[in-house]
Amino acid sequence: MRWGARVVLCSVLAVAAIFQWLRATEPGIDFVQFRLTGLHVARYPGCDVYSSETRGEILSSAWQTAESVPESRLSAAVSFRHSRSWETYSSPFLYSLFALGGLEESGERKAESRVADRYEVELRTWHAVSLLGSIVGLLCFGWVLRSPWFVCLLFALVLVGFSPIRSDLVVANVNQIQLGMVGVFVGIVGLRYRYYSCEPSSAAVATMREPAASALPLTNGWRFIEGVWLGLCIAFKPSLIWVAVMWAGFLVTQGRRHDVTYGRAGRFRPFVFYAFGGMIGATAAVLFSLLWFSPDAWLKWIEAVRAMPDDIIQTSQGNFSPTYYARHSLGLPSFLLLLTGPVLAAAVAAVLSRTARSRSLRNDELPASMDVADWLPWIIAGLQIHLLTSHLVWFHYLVLSLPALLWCVWLGTRSHSRVERFLFFGIAAWCFVLLGFEPLNALMASQREEHFVRCFLANVLLLVIVVIGPAGRDGMTALSR
């Protein structure tokens, strides 16, 4: 993509983001919990925000603050929480990030006034950061896929019309931030593979058959950085744990390639640096949270999540979790549903591993050579497994379906068959509508249970496409074969 096209693309994305930012006039019913809970732990370090007593204290203090600024977005957000509940189920690391910039007040009432005055600015800033996360995530996935310019221009349509993004702005949650985090991880991995991989032609490939020993520390350093970042992402919100699980599955598959180049001991080489980096990242998050939380806060958080009452996460309230629906609407036993995630992950990993072996034999790829179709499906599949198996999947969580949609579009652009192009583009458009396209959503005005079924079907179809459709360097897909 030329510089002129890049400038046009960035300008269009900026206009789309500003349009959504100006539309975001809602009070931020999730952001108010993040921010005021963070301020509470900054004011009272060591408090147990996962206890009902502390939740009541935070809500009472927030209610007093809201009463001083009626007809404001702070008042509307707190009023919503007062009529429902104050829900503190996020990780100590996330609340610690919101505790940064805690107010140093002289007198409690003055602090409340300052919180009310700053809430509007902070919420608008959070909306801007969220949209930036979506842009970063989309651009990183687009970059590693080398998407053509017309596909990148579709990102503006996604920013403006994709209902989960709009929903995330309405409640002011962290899902667009998560999309940006995953995008950064994908970008780091893509940088490493693009640096060390090469096209299967000329003598350059031969140099990749066995990288020089001097290059290994740099490669391992990249892996360490990737592990650190993934550890921080999971500590921020552990719903990305399936990305880490599937990435571990990819490392197992990749280890067979290292057997050829480095011997059998090289099979475990990637694990060491990823695991060490992941532990460093997670440990850094835990140590950072200890500035405001007690050491057992992480255990209390796990207990609080496990004890989350069902009456606040029903399907009719917007929880689009298939496993929750299967348990409470279809009556399936909970012990079977607990196996859904591991079984689905194992099945997906087995299919992707088999596909990787067949690609290697068919294309006669060298051990050191790596194509995006070898590794990116594992990450996208981890996101889809999360959306299909987690106990809690609010509608705005479906922002994380965007990488699978982009992958489907990429398959269409990569295929040499006109029929396949039409098929993949059609599936991507259909799933986009099923998940939520704002103009059509307003026309259909369906019940949440019906919308849940549409989203479930779309995510299942997208996972199937991710699993069976990796394209090789020859442009062939699973359908062609």
Side-chain angles (χ1 to χ4, degrees):
M1 187 183 298
R2 298 179 179 179
W3 282 106
R6 294 176 183 175
V7 172
V8 171
L9 172 62
C10 292
S11 301
V12 172
L13 292 179
V15 170
I18 292 173
F19 174 78
Q20 278 287 41
W21 183 73
L22 293 175
R23 290 181 62 201
T25 58
E26 292 77 15
I29 57 177
D30 286 348
F31 177 81
V32 71
Q33 294 182 126
F34 298 145
R35 183 54 175 150
L36 296 190
T37 300
L39 289 177
H40 188 83
V41 299
R43 192 180 305 170
Y44 306 107
C47 65
D48 182 11
V49 300
Y50 303 107
S51 66
S52 57
E53 294 80 8
T54 305
R55 289 172 183 157
E57 293 176 4
I58 299 173
L59 181 57
S60 177
S61 175
W63 183 252
Q64 292 179 8
T65 303
E67 285 184 328
S68 65
V69 283
E71 300 182 359
S72 66
R73 289 208 280 185
L74 174 62
S75 178
V78 173
S79 297
F80 175 88
R81 287 300 167 192
H82 189 269
S83 63
R84 184 172 174 174
S85 62
W86 194 265
E87 302 167 8
T88 53
Y89 297 106
S90 298
S91 70
F93 180 51
L94 188 146
Y95 288 131
S96 297
L97 293 174
F98 277 93
L100 288 174
L103 303 177
E104 297 181 1
E105 68 278 2
S106 57
E108 185 175 355
R109 194 63 187 173
K110 180 179 179 181
E112 292 176 355
S113 177
R114 292 181 61 192
V115 169
D117 293 340
R118 290 177 54 180
Y119 181 79
E120 182 74 20
V121 176
E122 292 170 343
L123 179 58
R124 299 294 284 172
T125 303
W126 185 251
H127 285 152
V129 172
S130 297
L131 288 167
L132 180 61
S134 288
I135 293 175
V136 169
L138 290 171
L139 289 179
C140 285
F141 275 94
W143 175 74
V144 297
L145 291 173
R146 300 186 182 182
S147 298
W149 64 270
F150 67 88
V151 172
C152 294
L153 286 178
L154 292 177
F155 296 167
L157 177 64
V158 170
L159 288 176
V160 172
F162 194 48
S163 297
I165 285 183
R166 174 64 181 156
S167 177
D168 186 71
L169 291 173
V170 168
V171 299
N173 208 281
V174 299
N175 301 107
Q176 294 183 84
I177 303 297
Q178 282 187 292
L179 177 62
M181 287 179 165
V182 177
V184 170
F185 177 72
V186 167
I188 297 173
V189 176
L191 279 173
R192 175 164 60 85
Y193 279 128
R194 182 167 294 191
Y195 182 80
Y196 284 105
S197 297
C198 51
E199 296 299 327
S201 60
S202 76
V205 178
T207 62
M208 294 306 302
R209 184 182 296 273
E210 188 173 356
S214 59
L216 293 180
L218 181 59
T219 307
N220 295 331
W222 278 100
R223 290 171 178 156
F224 173 77
I225 293 172
E226 293 161 15
V228 170
W229 181 252
L230 193 56
L232 290 173
C233 292
I234 294 175
F236 180 76
K237 191 168 184 179
S239 57
L240 297 180
I241 186 66
W242 285 113
V243 173
V245 171
M246 294 306 297
W247 191 246
F250 165 72
L251 295 179
V252 172
T253 303
Q254 188 190 31
R256 298 189 180 96
R257 296 187 173 202
H258 284 265
D259 286 353
V260 178
T261 305
Y262 304 109
R264 186 169 296 274
R267 174 174 297 188
F268 303 100
R269 183 188 301 273
F271 281 104
V272 174
F273 293 95
Y274 275 110
F276 183 60
M279 288 189 294
I280 292 296
T283 301
V286 171
L287 293 177
F288 178 77
S289 68
L290 292 181
L291 295 175
W292 294 280
F293 287 89
S294 60
D296 62 344
W298 289 83
L299 296 177
K300 294 179 179 178
W301 163 62
I302 295 174
E303 294 175 358
V305 171
R306 295 180 62 183
M308 186 182 300
D310 290 329
D311 59 352
I312 65 173
I313 56 172
Q314 298 177 8
T315 303
S316 59
Q317 295 173 323
N319 180 12
F320 284 9
S321 166
T323 54
Y324 180 89
Y325 182 84
R327 172 69 179 90
H328 294 273
S329 297
L330 303 181
L332 296 182
S334 57
F335 74 90
L336 286 179
L337 297 176
L338 290 176
L339 300 175
T340 304
V343 170
L344 183 59
V348 169
V351 175
L352 289 177
S353 298
R354 183 176 180 180
T355 303
R357 288 195 297 269
S358 64
R359 278 167 43 82
S360 180
L361 293 174
R362 184 179 66 257
N363 296 334
D364 193 24
E365 293 171 345
L366 295 174
S369 181
M370 188 66 63
D371 185 74
V372 67
D374 291 310
W375 57 272
L376 188 57
W378 295 83
I379 298 175
I380 299 177
L383 295 175
Q384 293 302 111
I385 292 172
H386 155 58
L387 296 175
L388 289 171
T389 63
S390 294
H391 185 67
L392 181 63
V393 182
W394 294 114
F395 178 54
H396 45 271
Y397 288 18
L398 299 182
V399 168
L400 299 177
S401 297
L402 285 174
L405 284 168
L406 185 57
W407 175 261
C408 192
V409 173
W410 181 76
L411 288 176
T413 62
R414 190 73 177 266
S415 176
H416 295 325
S417 168
R418 291 184 179 181
V419 175
E420 284 193 6
R421 289 179 184 177
F422 177 80
L423 178 62
F424 285 124
F425 289 153
I427 290 175
W430 188 52
C431 290
F432 185 79
V433 172
L434 289 179
L435 291 170
F437 183 50
E438 282 201 80
L440 294 181
N441 277 356
L443 291 176
M444 290 186 291
S446 57
Q447 299 294 325
R448 282 179 173 170
E449 289 81 358
E450 180 184 344
H451 196 183
F452 153 71
V453 174
R454 300 206 316 262
C455 293
F456 171 71
L457 293 175
N459 279 318
V460 169
L461 180 56
L462 288 173
L463 178 59
V464 171
I465 295 298
V466 169
V467 171
I468 70 171
R473 290 186 176 88
D474 55 3
M476 295 178 61
T477 65
L479 295 178
S480 298
R481 297 191 293 273

